[in-house]
Amino acid sequence: MKALILVGGFGTRLRPLTLSVPKPLVDFANKPMILHQIEALKAVGVSEVVLAINYQPEIMLNFLKDFEGKLGIKISCSQETEPLGTAGPLALARDKLLDDSGVPFFVLNGDVISDYPLKEMIEFHKTHGGEASIMVTEVDEPSKYGAVIMEESTGRVEKFVEKPKLFVRNKINAGIFLLNISVLDRIQLRPTSIEKEVFPKIAAENRLYAMVLPGFWMDIGQPRDCITGLKLHLESTRKKSSEKLATGPHIVGNVLVHKTAKIGGGCRIGPDVAIGPGCVVESGVRLSCCTVMRGVRIKKHACISSSIIGWHSTVGQRARVENMTILGEDVHVGDEIYSNGGIVLPHKEIKSSIWKPEIVM
């Protein structure tokens, strides 16, 4: 099997983190976002992954070379010279996706994190015998996304309603598709939306089916959703493989700590925290609902909540960092500094408190 991951563009919603690396390489739960997807695809027998990308393909491929060998999977890029929407990239990568096997291929939105029930999706696709399968998930506010109207008993999709003002259904497209090779014949090489132009035609022929995604789902294209997504991911990890989570008297709730990280005495870590490789957390530190990326040092009695601390940054003694503060790479927060929602670009030193949410250039 093959798969296409829609990696997309500049990751502006995830700045300042994407000023250092392309969006798919931003850490989520101690590994780059895209690795979660590639590992899930490999686990169901996918042997080749194509990344549809229009920004910094060389950086992506250089980083992923190591994982090609480790995972035993081929990774290549299909580079757009102009944004092609969600369907155009399939036409651009047509030659990479086509082969003689006739086996369906996966398409994933690179911003989506979930339990990736891909094995179940393969069985669902075989059972209904249609041309395309999409994963749908239930949300509280479908008006933000666009609703999928489907026959509940069979999963056959009747139509799509784009960002409905009145409630019609609470199921939305989850950004995970399994498509027959014939779908490629429906797509022209131009900016095209698969949801608005391709899927409605397949649905009109009664050949599009939707499977309700079991477990959690989150679009983590912006920092606040990364924090929420981490909570959901750690909850799922607790149910499926709790041995991966940290334990001990200083741990509260679900916490992921890399084996190379060091944590001092008297700390209170959790809930919903990820501490990356090579991090040093000194004594008396309080962490909750936050991501601490590779190589970060958090000094004595600092307190961090609902924030993301970028690679190789430092948070000073008795500093308080909260309310969706995002520190880019190599940011140094001084002792006893307060940050209330500061967005700090890479390689900055913060010597005075940030009292209200603002961007620090």
Side-chain angles (χ1 to χ4, degrees), residues 280-308:
V280 176
V281 179
E282 295 183 4
S283 60
V285 165
R286 175 73 176 99
L287 303 177
S288 64
C289 304
C290 63
T291 289
V292 180
M293 293 185 180
R294 182 181 62 253
V296 165
R297 177 177 285 270
I298 301 170
K299 296 187 177 179
K300 293 176 183 176
H301 303 290
C303 180
I304 300 172
S305 65
S306 301
S307 296
I308 298 175

Short mmCIF file of all heavy atoms in Angstrom, two decimals, residues 280-308:
data_model
loop_
_atom_site.label_atom_id
_atom_site.label_comp_id
_atom_site.label_asym_id
_atom_site.label_seq_id
_atom_site.Cartn_x
_atom_site.Cartn_y
_atom_site.Cartn_z
N VAL A 280 16.23 19.30 31.32
CA VAL A 280 16.59 19.33 32.74
C VAL A 280 15.54 20.15 33.47
O VAL A 280 15.34 21.34 33.19
CB VAL A 280 17.99 19.94 32.95
CG1 VAL A 280 18.30 20.04 34.45
CG2 VAL A 280 19.05 19.12 32.24
N VAL A 281 14.85 19.49 34.41
CA VAL A 281 13.85 20.16 35.24
C VAL A 281 14.41 20.18 36.66
O VAL A 281 14.54 19.13 37.29
CB VAL A 281 12.50 19.41 35.18
CG1 VAL A 281 11.46 20.09 36.07
CG2 VAL A 281 11.99 19.32 33.73
N GLU A 282 14.76 21.35 37.13
CA GLU A 282 15.39 21.46 38.45
C GLU A 282 14.35 21.31 39.57
O GLU A 282 13.15 21.18 39.31
CB GLU A 282 16.14 22.79 38.54
CG GLU A 282 17.32 22.89 37.57
CD GLU A 282 18.12 24.17 37.69
OE1 GLU A 282 17.83 24.99 38.60
OE2 GLU A 282 19.06 24.36 36.87
N SER A 283 14.81 21.33 40.80
CA SER A 283 13.95 21.02 41.95
C SER A 283 12.84 22.06 42.13
O SER A 283 12.99 23.24 41.80
CB SER A 283 14.79 20.94 43.22
OG SER A 283 15.43 22.18 43.46
N GLY A 284 11.71 21.57 42.65
CA GLY A 284 10.61 22.46 43.02
C GLY A 284 9.81 23.04 41.87
O GLY A 284 9.01 23.96 42.06
N VAL A 285 9.97 22.50 40.68
CA VAL A 285 9.28 23.03 39.50
C VAL A 285 7.84 22.49 39.44
O VAL A 285 7.59 21.33 39.80
CB VAL A 285 10.06 22.67 38.22
CG1 VAL A 285 9.21 22.88 36.96
CG2 VAL A 285 11.34 23.49 38.13
N ARG A 286 6.93 23.32 38.96
CA ARG A 286 5.53 22.91 38.77
C ARG A 286 5.19 23.01 37.28
O ARG A 286 5.30 24.09 36.69
CB ARG A 286 4.62 23.84 39.59
CG ARG A 286 3.12 23.60 39.39
CD ARG A 286 2.69 22.31 40.06
NE ARG A 286 1.26 22.11 39.97
CZ ARG A 286 0.65 21.32 39.08
NH1 ARG A 286 1.36 20.68 38.17
NH2 ARG A 286 -0.65 21.16 39.11
N LEU A 287 4.79 21.90 36.68
CA LEU A 287 4.41 21.87 35.26
C LEU A 287 3.01 21.28 35.12
O LEU A 287 2.70 20.25 35.72
CB LEU A 287 5.37 21.00 34.44
CG LEU A 287 6.87 21.34 34.46
CD1 LEU A 287 7.64 20.30 33.64
CD2 LEU A 287 7.11 22.73 33.91
N SER A 288 2.15 21.91 34.30
CA SER A 288 0.85 21.33 33.99
C SER A 288 0.41 21.77 32.59
O SER A 288 0.72 22.89 32.17
CB SER A 288 -0.20 21.75 35.02
OG SER A 288 -0.41 23.14 34.99
N CYS A 289 -0.26 20.88 31.87
CA CYS A 289 -0.83 21.18 30.54
C CYS A 289 0.18 21.90 29.66
O CYS A 289 -0.10 22.99 29.14
CB CYS A 289 -2.09 22.02 30.68
SG CYS A 289 -3.35 21.29 31.72
N CYS A 290 1.35 21.30 29.46
CA CYS A 290 2.37 21.98 28.66
C CYS A 290 3.26 20.99 27.93
O CYS A 290 3.35 19.81 28.30
CB CYS A 290 3.21 22.91 29.53
SG CYS A 290 4.15 22.10 30.82
N THR A 291 3.91 21.49 26.90
CA THR A 291 4.92 20.73 26.14
C THR A 291 6.27 21.39 26.36
O THR A 291 6.42 22.60 26.19
CB THR A 291 4.57 20.74 24.64
OG1 THR A 291 3.43 19.91 24.42
CG2 THR A 291 5.73 20.20 23.81
N VAL A 292 7.24 20.57 26.77
CA VAL A 292 8.60 21.04 26.99
C VAL A 292 9.49 20.29 26.00
O VAL A 292 9.67 19.08 26.11
CB VAL A 292 9.04 20.76 28.45
CG1 VAL A 292 10.48 21.24 28.69
CG2 VAL A 292 8.08 21.43 29.43
N MET A 293 10.01 21.00 25.01
CA MET A 293 10.69 20.35 23.89
C MET A 293 12.17 20.08 24.19
O MET A 293 12.70 20.52 25.21
CB MET A 293 10.54 21.20 22.63
CG MET A 293 9.11 21.27 22.13
SD MET A 293 8.97 22.15 20.56
CE MET A 293 7.21 22.04 20.27
N ARG A 294 12.78 19.35 23.31
CA ARG A 294 14.16 18.86 23.44
C ARG A 294 15.13 19.93 23.96
O ARG A 294 15.16 21.06 23.49
CB ARG A 294 14.64 18.35 22.09
CG ARG A 294 16.02 17.75 22.05
CD ARG A 294 16.40 17.31 20.65
NE ARG A 294 16.45 18.42 19.71
CZ ARG A 294 15.56 18.65 18.75
NH1 ARG A 294 14.54 17.84 18.60
NH2 ARG A 294 15.69 19.68 17.95
N GLY A 295 15.95 19.55 24.94
CA GLY A 295 17.06 20.39 25.38
C GLY A 295 16.69 21.58 26.23
O GLY A 295 17.53 22.46 26.47
N VAL A 296 15.47 21.64 26.76
CA VAL A 296 15.03 22.77 27.58
C VAL A 296 15.55 22.61 29.02
O VAL A 296 15.63 21.49 29.54
CB VAL A 296 13.49 22.88 27.58
CG1 VAL A 296 12.98 23.79 28.69
CG2 VAL A 296 13.00 23.36 26.22
N ARG A 297 15.89 23.73 29.65
CA ARG A 297 16.22 23.73 31.08
C ARG A 297 15.21 24.61 31.81
O ARG A 297 15.02 25.78 31.46
CB ARG A 297 17.64 24.25 31.33
CG ARG A 297 18.01 24.33 32.83
CD ARG A 297 19.43 24.78 33.06
NE ARG A 297 20.39 23.73 32.76
CZ ARG A 297 20.84 22.82 33.63
NH1 ARG A 297 20.41 22.83 34.88
NH2 ARG A 297 21.71 21.92 33.25
N ILE A 298 14.59 24.03 32.84
CA ILE A 298 13.65 24.78 33.67
C ILE A 298 14.25 24.87 35.07
O ILE A 298 14.48 23.84 35.72
CB ILE A 298 12.26 24.11 33.70
CG1 ILE A 298 11.71 24.00 32.27
CG2 ILE A 298 11.29 24.90 34.57
CD1 ILE A 298 10.49 23.16 32.14
N LYS A 299 14.52 26.08 35.51
CA LYS A 299 15.27 26.27 36.75
C LYS A 299 14.35 26.20 37.98
O LYS A 299 13.13 26.17 37.87
CB LYS A 299 16.04 27.58 36.69
CG LYS A 299 17.11 27.56 35.59
CD LYS A 299 17.99 28.79 35.62
CE LYS A 299 19.08 28.69 34.54
NZ LYS A 299 19.94 29.90 34.53
N LYS A 300 14.97 26.18 39.14
CA LYS A 300 14.30 25.90 40.42
C LYS A 300 13.04 26.75 40.63
O LYS A 300 13.04 27.96 40.41
CB LYS A 300 15.26 26.14 41.58
CG LYS A 300 16.42 25.17 41.63
CD LYS A 300 17.38 25.52 42.75
CE LYS A 300 18.58 24.56 42.72
NZ LYS A 300 19.59 24.93 43.74
N HIS A 301 11.98 26.03 41.04
CA HIS A 301 10.72 26.65 41.50
C HIS A 301 10.00 27.47 40.41
O HIS A 301 9.16 28.31 40.72
CB HIS A 301 10.96 27.52 42.74
CG HIS A 301 11.59 26.77 43.87
ND1 HIS A 301 10.92 25.80 44.58
CD2 HIS A 301 12.85 26.81 44.38
CE1 HIS A 301 11.72 25.28 45.49
NE2 HIS A 301 12.91 25.87 45.39
N ALA A 302 10.33 27.22 39.15
CA ALA A 302 9.56 27.84 38.07
C ALA A 302 8.20 27.14 37.96
O ALA A 302 8.04 25.99 38.37
CB ALA A 302 10.32 27.74 36.76
N CYS A 303 7.23 27.85 37.39
CA CYS A 303 5.88 27.30 37.23
C CYS A 303 5.42 27.55 35.80
O CYS A 303 5.43 28.69 35.32
CB CYS A 303 4.94 27.99 38.22
SG CYS A 303 3.25 27.38 38.12
N ILE A 304 5.06 26.47 35.10
CA ILE A 304 4.63 26.58 33.69
C ILE A 304 3.29 25.86 33.54
O ILE A 304 3.14 24.71 33.96
CB ILE A 304 5.67 25.94 32.74
CG1 ILE A 304 7.02 26.65 32.89
CG2 ILE A 304 5.18 26.00 31.29
CD1 ILE A 304 8.16 25.96 32.13
N SER A 305 2.32 26.54 32.92
CA SER A 305 1.03 25.91 32.64
C SER A 305 0.49 26.39 31.30
O SER A 305 0.73 27.53 30.90
CB SER A 305 0.02 26.21 33.76
OG SER A 305 -0.27 27.59 33.81
N SER A 306 -0.22 25.51 30.62
CA SER A 306 -0.90 25.83 29.35
C SER A 306 0.01 26.59 28.40
O SER A 306 -0.35 27.65 27.88
CB SER A 306 -2.18 26.65 29.62
OG SER A 306 -3.05 25.93 30.45
N SER A 307 1.21 26.05 28.16
CA SER A 307 2.21 26.73 27.33
C SER A 307 3.06 25.72 26.59
O SER A 307 3.03 24.52 26.88
CB SER A 307 3.10 27.62 28.21
OG SER A 307 2.34 28.65 28.82
N ILE A 308 3.82 26.21 25.61
CA ILE A 308 4.75 25.38 24.84
C ILE A 308 6.13 26.03 24.94
O ILE A 308 6.29 27.21 24.60
CB ILE A 308 4.32 25.25 23.37
CG1 ILE A 308 2.94 24.56 23.28
CG2 ILE A 308 5.36 24.46 22.57
CD1 ILE A 308 2.37 24.50 21.87
#
